[in-house]
Amino acid sequence: MKTLELPQTDLTASDVVVGLMRINDMSDEDVRSLYSASRDAGVTMFDHAAIYGGWHGCEARFAEAVTLSPSERSEIVLQTKVGIRQGYFDFSYEHILSSVEESLAALRTDYIDVLLLHRPDALVEPEEVAKAFDELHAAGKVHHFGVSNHTPGQVDLLRRSVNQPLAFNQVQLSITHANVIAQGVAANMGGLDQSVDRDNDILNHSRLNDITLQAWSPFQKGFFDGVFLGDREHYAELNDVLDEVAAAHGVTPTGIAVAWITRHPAHFQVVLGTTNPQRVRDSAAGSDVVLSREEWYRIFTAAGHTVP
Ligand SMILES: NC(=O)c1ccc[n+]([C@@H]2O[C@H](COP(=O)([O-])OP(=O)(O)OC[C@H]3O[C@@H](n4cnc5c(N)ncnc54)[C@H](OP(=O)(O)O)[C@@H]3O)[C@@H](O)[C@H]2O)c1
């Protein structure tokens, strides 16, 4: 498992992150198995959000099942998110502070390593975010900050007021939902949908500003509509190529789906959503594979993207 020194922070963490959005209905024993398999595989970072599992439900489910000793707590990076409420987004000072207090209680911890603003709030007042972040940082309740699903313009607007470094942007990225990467490959190709820039070049803005990109839903075809792995009806060629490359590297197709993301020189972290310990192990093995350029582009085109 590769680890990354995360720019703009004092953190080092695994490039495979285990996301806990789907643990709400799991037994304590199954949550513990998922956690210990993740740790044994080298995972040191775990992703939550206030909204997962109902209000702070997955955060609470995790802490009910997994008791972290002080030394274990110091060895992992706990990330959570704020800003999604029932039917609207809220980056107000009051909501950021109250949601973090609730996350700390649900997670049964004194501090959150990383807090992300979950989805852009149209009514954001950057000065309010700045005040909330400064207070949380000064109180030792949150050590590092970032955003999720934010465009470069939205990040820059925040950065003009927010004193705390914005060190992360968590965005949707899988081989089949790859606009963040695929657009640039097809830049300047009139008439090709892939060339449409839907996110104002998050990729290069992040690289230029030392913002670590995190890829959520790394195995989903699109927006929560199932995984492409094994879907031969829609992705026969991709699955053939994944099988072949996986065999060549002695890992599973799941591992290659991870390796396709981690091969990118932007040094993405991959945020898994699996609740299956074996899939975590398979993903961790993928983190150690370095795909050749030829393999990377073969997978890219087999998923239906164009290399003009
Ligand atoms: N920032 C955001 O806006 C945002 C949005 C969504 C999610 N997230 C984060 O990203 C994480 C991952 O999201 P996700 O759960 O949608 O991602 P995912 O890892 O692409 O999907 C995982 C889901 O696919 C299933 N699956 C079925 N076959 C699989 C296979 N062969 N390999 C792997 N998974 C398979 C898993 O089931 P099993 O459990 O049975 O393996 C699980 O239900 C979440 O936990 C959350 O932390 C962030």
Side-chain angles (χ1 to χ4, degrees):
M1 166 85 74
K2 279 201 296 292
T3 55
L4 301 172
E5 285 180 17
L6 299 166
Q8 303 195 73
T9 75
D10 58 4
L11 299 172
T12 301
S14 51
D15 64 353
V16 171
V17 175
V18 167
L20 297 160
M21 180 182 75
R22 299 179 188 267
I23 66 167
N24 210 30
D25 297 328
M26 290 168 67
S27 68
D28 283 3
E29 197 184 338
D30 286 347
V31 174
R32 279 196 284 274
S33 299
L34 178 65
Y35 182 76
S36 57
S38 304
R39 296 289 288 124
D40 291 346
V43 172
T44 58
M45 187 158 177
F46 296 85
D47 183 64
H48 285 280
I51 197 70
Y52 296 162
W55 197 233
H56 300 282
C58 290
E59 293 173 331
R61 193 79 279 285
F62 174 75
E64 281 157 14
V66 179
T67 303
L68 298 172
S69 66
S71 77
E72 177 68 6
R73 174 68 189 90
S74 70
E75 284 173 22
I76 65 166
V77 176
L78 278 183
Q79 173 171 276
T80 194
K81 313 185 196 77
V82 60
I84 297 185
R85 302 186 74 169
Q86 287 304 331
Y88 66 105
F89 300 149
D90 188 349
F91 290 178
S92 64
Y93 168 81
E94 292 78 13
H95 180 64
I96 292 172
L97 289 194
S98 65
S99 182
V100 166
E101 289 301 336
E102 289 160 8
S103 288
L104 290 169
L107 287 165
R108 303 183 187 180
T109 187
D110 296 336
Y111 65 95
I112 289 160
D113 296 279
V114 179
L115 179 73
L116 306 183
L117 297 172
H118 202 155
R119 274 195 179 274
D121 174 11
L123 305 182
V124 62
E125 304 277 4
E127 299 76 12
E128 286 193 51
V129 175
K131 186 166 175 252
F133 281 11
D134 280 347
E135 287 183 20
L136 289 168
H137 188 258
K141 293 179 178 176
V142 178
H143 293 179
H144 303 286
F145 299 85
V147 297
S148 175
N149 305 304
H150 276 59
T151 66
Q154 290 165 334
V155 172
D156 287 343
L157 179 72
L158 285 167
R159 290 201 310 173
R160 195 176 59 171
S161 304
V162 173
N163 300 312
Q164 305 302 322
L166 297 178
F168 302 89
N169 196 355
Q170 191 177 109
V171 299
Q172 187 175 3
L173 174 66
S174 71
I175 298 168
T176 55
H177 186 285
N179 192 254
V180 163
I181 291 172
Q183 185 276 329
V185 176
N188 202 25
M189 292 293 293
L192 193 62
D193 184 69
Q194 185 182 316
S195 76
V196 176
D197 185 357
R198 294 188 165 82
D199 54 43
N200 294 328
D201 206 3
I202 289 179
L203 178 65
N204 292 305
H205 178 271
S206 301
R207 290 181 79 176
L208 286 165
N209 290 284
D210 289 330
I211 296 170
T212 297
L213 285 160
Q214 299 179 335
W216 62 264
S217 286
F219 307 123
Q220 298 288 315
K221 289 179 269 193
F223 187 62
F224 299 142
D225 52 3
V227 295
F228 55 80
L229 292 160
D231 178 0
R232 295 199 162 268
E233 189 188 339
H234 301 101
Y235 292 103
E237 187 190 347
L238 174 61
N239 277 286
D240 285 346
V241 173
L242 289 173
D243 286 350
E244 188 189 318
V245 176
H249 286 278
V251 298
T252 60
T254 299
I256 296 301
V258 169
W260 187 82
I261 297 173
T262 58
R263 172 64 176 82
H264 195 282
H267 303 302
F268 283 85
Q269 291 184 295
V270 180
V271 188
L272 309 179
T274 185
T275 56
N276 177 321
Q278 186 55 46
R279 289 193 178 124
V280 174
R281 288 189 278 272
D282 292 347
S283 300
S287 148
D288 290 324
V289 171
V290 180
L291 296 173
S292 68
R293 265 196 168 71
E294 190 189 12
E295 289 169 328
W296 191 93
Y297 276 102
R298 258 190 91 199
I299 294 167
F300 182 71
T301 50
H305 304 297
T306 298
V307 178

